[in-house]
Amino acid sequence: MLHYQNLRQLIFRFDPEVAHSVVEFVCALAPKIPALLPFLSKKFCFNDPLLSQEIDGMRFYNPVGLAAGFDKNATMVETLCALGFSHLELGALTPLAQSGNEKPRLWRHTNEESIQNAMGFNNDGANAVSMRLDKCYPFVLPLGINIGKNKLTSQENAIEDYIALAKTFSQNSDYLSVNISSPNTPNLRDLQNEAFIKELFSALCEIYKKPIYLKISPDLSIDSALNLVECAMDFGAKGIIATNTTLDYSLVANPKEKGGISGKVLAPKSREMLKQIALTLKAKKRKATLISVGGIADAKEAYLRIRLGASLVQVFSAMIFKGPSLVKCINRDLKDHLERDGFNHISEAVGVDL
């Protein structure tokens, strides 16, 4: 961590998107350097049976995954695996390649350890990424695909984009994350309604026979969120990813006027949404996989989410502020928390605070 803080000063001199592109280049290059990935794996991977779980037919050797948005185009898969993640959520991907919104569209809120992005689903398109995945799938870790609609696709035809993506990735991914909650594609959040969810999940489950999760916004009212959760599950969703970024600009001192905020300031909103969903599902005796994302920067927060019902957690922004040892630190300290509280396995801690 200490060494990264020195490097971070240099990285933060660059525009955030330029810095990310440099990181992507290095990560894409790393597998070509002999012995580098085994070295990284030895340094950053933490493997303990206490943390290993089988969920929805997938094996996760620890609970910490990478959230969508970091590796949009599956160019960093091997290197990210060597940094200790248990699963990688790639994308968001759209059927057609698109350049995203105008730059600048990515900002750091350094004092708050948070990020604001208005990227707009910039990606290489489903076919290009699918061909990339064909070369490495099946992979040693579960690979999820976060799917969204193209900016120019009308609301009426939105479902066709999601169906096309499910078909494209049916043979080279382990789960789908349905993204109708990004604030950076015009009107996308309007699709967060029960009629669309019903139609969408009914169609997707016909095509895609592996787990499908719904990723929801932290800005929904709790009642609206719970209705969407139940509707998605009624029509085939295996679980919920809570949450996406927020449009609550009061959380940071100097917000931009566009884009969603992620990072430490999102933690209370994301945690509360998880808690309410978990409580409702427990009360109705409904089984669902809950994946918590938003503001998780250390083992303490990850452990809170697990005790509130999350089987898995995902990180993104915290890695920018804390560096590549983040995942190992979370998993190592999580093991300590679990043993301190008398748990023999992580699954025993899931939901105990409900």
Side-chain angles (χ1 to χ4, degrees):
M1 293 283 262
L2 186 63
H3 298 301
Y4 178 73
Q5 295 310 313
N6 297 331
L7 179 62
R8 195 182 93 167
Q9 292 179 7
L10 175 64
I11 294 170
F12 279 21
R13 289 178 186 171
F14 290 93
D15 168 82
E17 193 166 348
V18 171
H20 186 82
S21 297
V22 171
V23 169
E24 182 178 13
F25 174 78
V26 171
C27 286
L29 184 66
K32 299 178 175 69
I33 301 172
L36 179 56
L37 293 191
F39 169 77
L40 293 175
S41 296
K42 195 170 180 182
K43 185 175 175 65
F44 293 120
C45 293
F46 186 84
N47 195 357
D48 192 285
L50 187 78
L51 300 177
S52 177
Q53 303 172 87
E54 184 159 319
I55 299 168
D56 297 333
M58 297 173 281
R59 170 64 62 181
F60 299 88
Y61 82 96
N62 70 62
V64 185
L66 179 75
F70 190 87
D71 190 1
K72 288 177 176 288
N73 296 306
T75 56
M76 302 183 256
V77 169
E78 291 174 82
T79 304
L80 290 168
C81 173
L83 297 185
F85 291 101
S86 68
H87 64 286
L88 306 173
E89 191 166 308
L90 309 170
L93 286 157
T94 53
L96 302 176
Q98 58 182 30
S99 58
N101 296 326
E102 287 184 15
K103 298 177 183 180
R105 55 193 182 180
L106 187 62
W107 303 272
R108 302 181 192 98
H109 298 286
T110 306
N111 291 339
E112 293 102 332
E113 291 189 21
S114 296
I115 299 290
Q116 189 166 350
N117 94 83
M119 302 300 286
F121 286 172
N122 56 307
N123 71 100
D124 292 345
N127 288 340
V129 174
S130 181
M131 284 164 55
R132 217 166 271 150
L133 287 173
D134 284 341
K135 294 173 185 172
C136 71
Y137 191 86
F139 194 58
V140 67
L141 304 178
L143 299 178
I145 306 290
N146 187 281
I147 57 173
K149 80 173 189 72
N150 278 111
K151 184 176 182 178
L152 297 180
T153 302
S154 68
Q155 300 294 88
E156 295 74 29
N157 296 324
I159 196 165
E160 302 302 327
D161 278 13
Y162 290 95
I163 288 171
L165 289 157
K167 288 177 179 174
T168 300
F169 293 105
S170 62
Q171 301 302 315
N172 54 15
S173 66
D174 295 294
Y175 73 85
L176 291 183
S177 166
V178 176
N179 192 338
I180 53 174
S181 52
S182 168
N184 300 321
T185 294
N187 307 316
L188 183 72
R189 285 188 168 190
D190 295 345
L191 299 176
Q192 292 186 120
N193 64 76
E194 289 178 56
F196 183 75
I197 294 285
K198 174 181 176 181
E199 185 183 4
L200 177 62
F201 274 85
S202 297
L204 293 181
C205 289
E206 286 292 312
I207 299 158
Y208 193 88
K209 299 304 180 184
K210 299 170 191 175
I212 308 176
Y213 306 117
L214 175 66
K215 187 166 187 175
I216 63 168
S217 162
D219 299 330
L220 290 167
S221 71
I222 295 295
D223 285 346
S224 296
L226 294 175
N227 288 339
L228 291 185
V229 166
E230 291 208 65
C231 183
M233 290 182 58
D234 285 343
F235 291 92
K238 281 287 188 185
I240 305 297
I241 300 176
T243 63
N244 214 315
T245 58
T246 180
L247 289 174
D248 182 356
Y249 297 155
S250 70
L251 294 176
V252 293
N254 298 295
K256 303 298 176 181
E257 292 307 309
K258 60 180 178 179
I261 296 172
S262 60
K264 232 175 192 177
V265 298
L266 181 54
K269 282 180 84 111
S270 186
R271 193 190 314 124
E272 183 61 21
M273 183 67 82
L274 168 73
K275 179 182 175 182
Q276 295 303 325
I277 292 169
L279 281 169
T280 299
L281 293 174
K282 184 180 181 185
K284 298 193 175 185
K285 294 185 170 60
R286 299 202 65 165
K287 189 178 183 303
T289 299
L290 298 181
I291 302 172
S292 188
V293 54
I296 298 168
D298 53 33
K300 181 182 176 186
E301 187 64 37
Y303 190 44
L304 276 173
R305 307 293 176 95
I306 290 163
R307 293 179 67 105
L308 287 174
S311 296
L312 300 167
V313 298
Q314 294 178 341
V315 297
F316 178 166
S317 302
M319 197 164 61
I320 294 166
F321 293 98
K322 297 199 168 181
S325 60
L326 173 72
V327 179
K328 182 177 183 178
C329 290
I330 292 177
N331 283 314
R332 183 193 62 211
D333 295 350
L334 256 182
K335 184 188 179 210
D336 290 345
H337 288 321
L338 289 163
E339 290 179 335
R340 177 198 68 198
D341 291 345
F343 295 113
N344 296 310
H345 189 260
I346 186 171
S347 58
E348 296 172 8
V350 175
V352 293
D353 286 347
L354 299 173

